Structures are given as C-alpha cells and as structure tokens.
C-alpha cells in the first residue's frame, strides 16, 4: 500500500468521526406491557393525566366492566397489551409519563411509538359508541407534537419525535388529544398506543 493512501484513509476517519459520534439515537423507553388494568400504567411509566388503561386489544375493555368493549383495532397486535387513551370535548385527556436520564447535551435523540384510532362502545344499549377516533401526542419536557389521521378505518401509524437534548434528563409524556377535525362521535375520542422497534421505525422513514 502506498503511504499516500494510508494518509488519506486516516484523514477521512478523522473528518467523519465527529459526525458519527453525534448521530441520532433512539431513546430506550419502558415497554408498554403488563396485565390489563383500568386507571393504571405499565412498569416504568406513571399516570400523567386522568385515567389511562392497559388493554388486550379488541373485545372486552376490562375484566371488571364486561358491559364495555373496544373495537376498530386493525393490523398486528401480537406484541402484547397496549395503551388505551381517551379525550373528551370538555378538555379531558389521558396520558402516561416517564423519565429518561443520562442524555448528552447537544445530541439529537428520538422517541417512536405506533398508534391508531379505535372505538369504545357499550356491549348493551344497542352497542352505543361512546368514543371513537382521535389523535396521538408526544411531549418532551412539555413541548408537544401531535399526530392525526383523516381516516378512522386505519391501521398502525408510526409517530416519531426528534429533539436536541438541552439537559441530561427529559420527561416523556404520551397521550390522546382531539384533532381539529374532531372525533368520530360527539362524546369523545379513543386511541391505542404500542411499542415499536427501531428496525420498523427506520423502514418507515421515522415519520
């Protein structure tokens, strides 16, 4: 190998190293899993607003309340149980919160989830639909980013929030909101949220 070639490789490595060290990093958050529960949160998360739930998916909303059900969840649900959040025209919203430490100030990070709209209905009362449709939001240290989709008959969407760390720790909040287009029924909105792995996130373009 010629000496000039060796010098060029060394120079290229030195030039690229700062970019590699500052590459975007996906935060590792507590997984969304656990036994179905009303007014609760998975391990590593705490209740942020009101009364969020963990559910199994379509079917009975809670083993303690067999007269309510959830429907409209499309696509793969094999990853396990999921978050169930409601939002009402009165301003009522549901959310979970978690803290992440050991961030590097000035570094770019991202958090990603999959979410979709669903319905919450009465198993009696002629199947009355109470809540249906809605939007998802992520907040990092109180700075919100919202996500919505026009068609209620959707499947999983990937929501990614990218940010530059301004401190060594952040608060991550996930929950429901009502988009400008409103809910599918007047009473309120309902969504489900689940984990997403980095590979699926990258394949979808992180958006």
């Amino acid at each position: 190998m010629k000496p000039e070639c060796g010098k060029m490789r060394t120079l290229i490595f030195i030039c690229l190293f700062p970019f590699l060290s500052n590459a975007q990093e996906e935060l590792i958050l507590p997984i969304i899993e656990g036994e179905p529960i009303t007014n609760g949160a998975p391990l590593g998360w705490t209740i942020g607003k009101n009364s969020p739930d963990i559910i199994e998916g379509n079917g009975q909303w809670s083993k303690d309340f067999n007269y309510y059900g959830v429907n409209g969840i499309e696509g793969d649900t094999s990853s396990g149980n999921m978050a169930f959040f409601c939002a009402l025209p009165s301003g009522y919203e549901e959310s979970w919160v978690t803290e992440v430490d050991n961030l590097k100030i000035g570094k770019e990070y991202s958090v990603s989830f999959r979410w979709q709209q669903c319905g919450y209905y009465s198993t009696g009362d002629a199947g009355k639909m109470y809540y249906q449709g809605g939007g998802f939001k992520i907040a990092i240290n109180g700075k919100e980013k919202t996500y919505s989709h026009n068609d209620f008959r959707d499947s999983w969407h990937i929501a990614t929030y990218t940010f530059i760390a301004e401190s060594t720790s952040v608060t991550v909040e996930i929950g429901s909101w009502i988009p400008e287009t409103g809910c599918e029924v007047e009473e309120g909105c309902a969504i489900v949220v689940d984990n997403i792995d980095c590979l699926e996130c990258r394949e979808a373009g992180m958006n």
Side-chain angles (χ1 to χ4, degrees), residues 169-190:
S169 63
V170 294
T171 299
V172 179
E173 182 175 15
I174 60 173
S176 54
W177 73 294
I178 297 181
E180 292 183 2
T181 53
C183 308
E184 293 294 312
V185 293
E186 291 184 1
E187 286 85 349
C189 295

Side-chain angles (χ1 to χ4, degrees), residues 98-146:
T98 191
E99 302 282 339
V100 184
D101 299 317
N102 300 317
L103 277 66
K104 182 178 179 180
I105 296 175
K107 184 176 176 64
E108 187 176 64
Y109 294 91
S110 64
V111 294
S112 299
F113 301 89
R114 61 178 189 159
W115 74 279
Q116 66 171 290
Q117 303 173 86
C118 65
Y120 173 78
Y121 66 95
S122 169
T123 55
D125 194 19
K128 176 180 172 59
M129 187 65 66
Y130 288 108
Y131 312 137
Q132 190 175 46
F136 174 54
K137 68 180 176 181
I138 305 172
I140 305 292
N141 285 345
K143 297 178 181 179
E144 294 182 354
K145 186 172 181 180
T146 58

Side-chain angles (χ1 to χ4, degrees), residues 24-27 29 108-115 136-140 144-147 157-163 172 174 196-198 200-207:
Q24 184 185 112
E25 181 177 330
E26 181 83 4
L27 288 187
L29 301 176
E108 187 176 64
Y109 294 91
S110 64
V111 294
S112 299
F113 301 89
R114 61 178 189 159
W115 74 279
F136 174 54
K137 68 180 176 181
I138 305 172
I140 305 292
E144 294 182 354
K145 186 172 181 180
T146 58
Y147 310 83
H157 305 288
I158 295 173
T160 296
Y161 188 132
T162 301
F163 65 98
V172 179
I174 60 173
I196 179 172
D197 63 27
C198 288
E200 183 180 2
C201 190
R202 286 193 295 271
E203 289 176 344
M206 302 288 289
N207 55 39

Side-chain angles (χ1 to χ4, degrees), residues 82-104:
M82 60 198 72
F84 177 78
F85 299 128
C86 295
L88 310 181
S90 63
Y92 176 99
E93 296 177 345
E94 297 179 340
S95 69
W96 288 337
V97 175
T98 191
E99 302 282 339
V100 184
D101 299 317
N102 300 317
L103 277 66
K104 182 178 179 180

